[in-house]
Amino acid sequence: MNAAPTTAPMEAPVQTETAGAPLPIIAVTMGDGAGIGPEVIVPALLHADTVRRCRPVVIGDAERLRQAARILGVACEIVSVETPADAVFGPGRINVIDLGLLPADLPWGRLSAVAGDAAYQYVRVAAELAVRGDVQGICTAPLNKEALHAGGHLYPGHTELLAHLTGVEEVSMMLSTPKVKVIHVTTHIGLIDAVRRIEPGLVERTVRRGHEAMVRAGVAKPVIGVCGINPHAGENGLFGYGEEEEKIVPAIEVLRADGIDAVGPLPADTAFFLASRGDYDLIVAMYHDQGHGPVKVMGIEAGVNLTVGLPVIRTSVDHGTAFDIAGTGRAEAGSMVEALRQAAEMSTAPAR
């Protein structure tokens, strides 16, 4: 990730309620401590937009965040708390449930099994808080999959890890940019395996999760475009072996009968263009690269990764650990600010 220098956060009056409702508490996992996670968290949590929308509590290592603040030249108070309920919110203050797992001399920008294990533990604690109802959303800084595996935790990524930790059998990955939103029927598996796994029930459940997420985000009647599997969505049997008719069309028929405005199967090479001009509120991609490729072309810098189907909404930056610039102060916090915004927007307000 090539990034511009981070600007100083804007100050704003502290708010703990909006329109009479308490602001949601968002657990912010620190990600891989050798990457840029700490450097994007510090300015993002102090940003005026974050302060107005939510009450963030970091699950991570307080000293690593202090190192990041010094690198960035940001003056703030980083305070350790035992639970989210203990957190006090005020200007220039960052609350941290400090797990204290990283050595003080952990190198920036280098693969570390210790940092990989710590990244797992941050997510584990956040998931426990979510299941107990202590937080209303989770926002994750990036982890490094190789470091995660080196630390003894063999998961493809955050999505599968959070599903396991919260006891949810099936979740969906959604990517959101200013131009287009996309939800995936399959993600981190090979293309041949993805085609085998796609079936009408999975397509239907994925569309329903996407529909629910869009409604929660304020789109009352979302129009959802569903991609085909083959080029030109099979073009009436010219390409492939009838996968669209077998695996996708039955799901769309059930969804439309239930009042969900799902359209397709659509040729993927035009679906994203149509979504970018406003024809569709959400695109359903059948496999990883079908959705990720267009999204990263159209808006990775402001992109957000969401997991839908968990007990709480989970959002994340749509970039990696950026080991090449970690520890330099060059990381851009805009995607983390946007991830926090969407976590707050799509989280249910806590009970009084």
Side-chain angles (χ1 to χ4, degrees):
M1 176 180 131
N2 295 321
T6 302
T7 56
M10 297 161 28
E11 293 188 1
V14 175
Q15 288 184 253
T16 58
E17 298 191 10
T18 179
L23 294 179
I25 300 175
I26 306 298
V28 183
T29 60
M30 201 178 77
D32 193 303
I36 63 171
E39 293 171 85
V40 299
I41 285 174
V42 168
L45 265 63
L46 300 174
H47 196 280
D49 193 61
T50 303
V51 172
R52 281 195 298 266
R53 295 178 182 274
C54 65
R55 293 177 288 168
V57 177
V58 181
I59 317 300
D61 274 55
E63 182 53 36
R64 195 61 165 181
L65 292 170
R66 295 186 185 107
Q67 291 177 16
R70 288 193 291 270
I71 289 169
L72 295 168
V74 172
C76 62
E77 184 182 15
I78 296 173
V79 182
S80 298
V81 297
E82 290 295 322
T83 71
D86 298 328
V88 176
F89 299 89
R93 176 180 169 120
I94 295 175
N95 296 281
V96 187
I97 295 178
D98 183 12
L99 301 192
L101 299 174
L102 301 180
D105 59 351
L106 178 75
W108 294 94
R110 289 173 56 183
L111 188 75
S112 164
V114 172
D117 175 63
Y120 168 85
Q121 302 301 336
Y122 306 149
V123 177
R124 176 186 59 78
V125 171
E128 291 172 356
L129 294 171
V131 170
R132 290 202 302 265
D134 294 342
V135 300
Q136 288 73 54
I138 297 173
C139 183
T140 59
L143 52 73
N144 181 284
K145 293 181 180 66
E146 188 177 353
L148 181 71
H149 293 178
H153 309 289
L154 303 180
Y155 295 91
H158 270 119
T159 302
E160 298 83 0
L161 173 55
L162 279 163
H164 171 74
L165 291 170
T166 57
V168 174
E169 290 187 5
E170 191 175 274
V171 296
S172 295
M173 176 189 292
M174 181 185 290
L175 300 180
S176 174
T177 77
K179 289 186 177 181
V180 66
K181 290 179 172 60
V182 57
I183 191 168
H184 294 71
V185 175
T186 66
T187 50
H188 296 119
I189 57 175
L191 183 56
I192 293 173
D193 293 331
V195 174
R196 288 176 180 152
R197 183 172 297 182
I198 297 165
E199 50 86 20
L202 178 57
V203 173
E204 179 189 341
R205 294 191 299 274
T206 302
V207 175
R208 290 188 187 278
R209 282 189 285 269
H211 180 270
E212 180 185 357
M214 296 302 296
V215 171
R216 290 182 64 178
V219 182
K221 296 182 178 179
V223 181
I224 302 173
V226 182
C227 291
I229 297 172
N230 295 296
H232 299 214
E235 200 162 299
N236 298 316
L238 183 62
F239 303 114
Y241 299 92
E243 288 86 356
E244 281 74 20
E245 290 294 325
E246 175 192 346
K247 297 170 177 286
I248 301 173
V249 170
I252 292 176
E253 291 175 347
V254 171
L255 292 161
R256 293 190 66 83
D258 284 351
I260 293 176
D261 195 354
V263 182
L266 301 172
D269 57 358
T270 57
F272 287 91
F273 164 74
L274 296 174
S276 70
R277 75 178 189 185
D279 291 23
Y280 299 105
D281 299 301
L282 176 68
I283 292 293
V284 180
M286 291 295 129
Y287 50 89
H288 184 282
D289 286 9
Q290 188 182 62
H292 276 63
V295 163
K296 292 191 175 183
V297 169
M298 288 193 282
I300 188 174
E301 292 302 326
V304 174
N305 184 319
L306 300 90
T307 304
V308 294
L310 296 169
V312 298
I313 196 69
R314 172 258 173 172
T315 68
S316 179
V317 294
D318 193 28
H319 60 69
T321 49
F323 280 171
D324 57 328
I325 62 168
T328 68
R330 291 166 49 205
E332 172 56 53
S335 187
M336 178 58 79
V337 172
E338 178 63 15
L340 283 161
R341 184 190 72 78
Q342 293 206 32
E345 183 179 274
M346 300 180 73
S347 296
T348 304
R352 287 183 177 277

